[in-house]
Amino acid sequence: MNRPVLGIPQNTIEILQKYNFSFQKKFGQNFLIDTHVLDKIIRAADINKEDMVLEIGPGIGTMTQFLAEAAGKVVAVEIDKNLIPILEDTLGSYENVSVINEDVLKLDIRGLVAEENGGKPVKVVANLPYYITTPIIMGLFEEHVPLTSITVMVQKEVADRMQTGPGNKDYGALSLAVQYYAKPYIVANVPPNCFMPRPKVGSAVIRLTCHAHPPVEVEDERLMFDIIRASFNQRRKTLANGLNNSDKITFPKDVILEAVEQLGKGDSVRGESLTLEEFARLSNSLARRR
Ligand code: SAM
């Protein structure tokens, strides 16, 4: 790199002072200041010159510099208009980077990928704003954005929830949703001192390798996710009672009970002990009784 590397704390401080930038808590701004962590993210994302990378929240462009060196093309979406002149300065000399000043949650990302990459799958790489981690990731999956992988910094606790399975306290709707679309792998835990300012929570880099086809066959995805949400919304209840109490699940009680019994785990089974495959079976058996 022939520009000042922003992952070095002194260079970040200089840029922030040059532009008199003040951090906005509401945008989850914690900038990376550790080149080892940046190297690890880039390696885990497995980027080459054929790839288009979508970066969410480039900040002052710290990770974008690394991405631009590795990828064919980088499109970075940043909500904070105060960062745009800074990004023009720090990234101006990279011809393969474009910055979009938008709220990523309002952007038509599928349309963007169609336009910028001919609809071919892209790699998402980001140090995410933690306040919207779940809507960003679920939005990418549910909108069926063509993706190879998502390699992101998230809150450590959220990374654990994405990766875990039945029998663990962190297991829940997020674990199942993520694992329906991708294979999660926690790459590294990252302490608060790798960021400026330091976040109050621990962080982790997680790589989600997207499935070409979901690992289970589901007749009605919406019904399966309604069932999953209903069973974890009432964790202390049995699965049958949890489903019966939900507004979203409108099957009669005896139909629910029969479908639960068909799982062969007893009628007092709780949702938290079901695998994705079992949720798919339950959902398919209910879908057929409509
Ligand atoms: N990538 C930079 C880095 O690693 O140093 C900054 C990461 S910081 C944790 C999150 C970034 O996401 C901030 O630059 C913030 O302004 C931006 N951001 C927050 N909400 C956003 C949204 N809804 N759409 C796009 N960017 C957003």
Side-chain angles (χ1 to χ4, degrees):
M1 250 181 244
N2 50 5
R3 303 104 179 143
V5 176
L6 295 166
I8 294 166
Q10 191 51 37
N11 292 340
T12 288
I13 291 167
E14 269 172 30
I15 281 286
L16 296 176
Q17 285 176 345
K18 178 173 169 192
Y19 288 89
N20 202 11
F21 178 77
S22 23
F23 289 100
Q24 298 236 41
K25 225 177 167 177
K26 68 171 181 189
F27 289 146
Q29 291 175 340
N30 300 97
F31 298 165
L32 268 167
I33 46 161
D34 187 307
T35 51
H36 298 292
V37 174
L38 286 155
D39 279 331
K40 246 185 214 169
I41 297 173
I42 302 300
R43 243 180 292 131
D46 188 23
I47 304 162
N48 60 57
K49 286 286 169 192
E50 304 292 300
D51 289 323
M52 170 177 148
V53 170
L54 171 66
E55 185 189 11
I56 297 160
I60 56 171
T62 310
M63 196 192 306
T64 327
Q65 290 185 327
F66 283 67
L67 294 170
E69 300 280 344
K73 181 174 190 173
V74 183
V75 177
V77 183
E78 174 55 60
I79 196 170
D80 185 353
K81 65 173 183 351
N82 293 330
L83 286 168
I84 303 305
I86 304 185
L87 288 165
E88 276 161 15
D89 180 349
T90 60
L91 302 174
S93 58
Y94 290 100
E95 286 182 357
N96 60 345
V97 176
S98 46
V99 175
I100 301 175
N101 183 201
E102 275 274 9
D103 177 347
V104 72
L105 295 179
K106 295 193 179 139
L107 199 63
D108 170 13
I109 300 181
R110 240 177 100 94
L112 180 75
V113 171
E115 211 169 281
E116 297 279 350
N117 206 37
K120 291 197 301 293
V122 299
K123 293 178 178 169
V124 172
V125 188
N127 170 17
L128 286 178
Y130 294 172
Y131 73 108
I132 45 170
T133 299
T134 304
I136 291 176
I137 292 181
M138 291 319 299
L140 291 167
F141 287 142
E142 287 169 359
E143 301 297 320
H144 295 284
V145 174
L147 296 172
T148 311
S149 60
I150 301 177
T151 306
V152 279
M153 180 82 72
V154 297
Q155 205 175 316
K156 160 96 180 79
E157 187 200 313
V158 176
D160 290 339
R161 275 164 47 205
M162 288 183 191
Q163 193 183 239
T164 197
N168 190 299
K169 67 168 179 30
D170 295 324
Y171 186 54
L174 182 65
S175 329
L176 285 150
V178 164
Q179 291 166 32
Y180 179 68
Y181 293 106
K183 187 171 161 29
Y185 168 69
I186 294 181
V187 175
N189 291 327
V190 181
N193 62 5
C194 296
F195 301 86
M196 186 186 295
R198 296 180 182 193
K200 291 202 173 65
V201 292
S203 302
V205 178
I206 191 165
R207 177 184 157 117
L208 309 175
T209 308
C210 302
H211 298 309
H213 304 285
V216 291
E217 253 178 60
V218 180
E219 288 177 22
D220 181 343
E221 283 183 7
R222 180 176 294 195
L223 175 63
M224 182 177 79
F225 285 114
D226 280 346
I227 290 173
I228 289 172
R229 271 189 293 269
S231 46
F232 285 99
N233 275 347
Q234 305 205 0
R235 269 179 190 267
R236 288 164 183 276
K237 296 241 162 33
T238 65
L239 173 61
N241 282 340
L243 298 185
N244 201 39
N245 292 342
S246 159
D247 297 342
K248 290 263 169 82
I249 312 294
T250 52
F251 295 92
K253 194 170 183 180
D254 57 320
V255 171
I256 292 178
L257 210 56
E258 208 184 310
V260 168
E261 275 169 0
Q262 276 184 359
L263 291 171
K265 302 187 95 171
D267 48 13
S268 60
V269 65
R270 293 191 182 183
E272 63 199 17
S273 74
L274 263 58
T275 61
L276 174 61
E277 193 270 328
E278 287 166 332
F279 273 112
R281 259 202 286 145
L282 175 63
S283 148
N284 290 344
S285 125
L286 282 172
R288 282 176 214 134
R289 287 161 209 251
R290 275 227 179 87

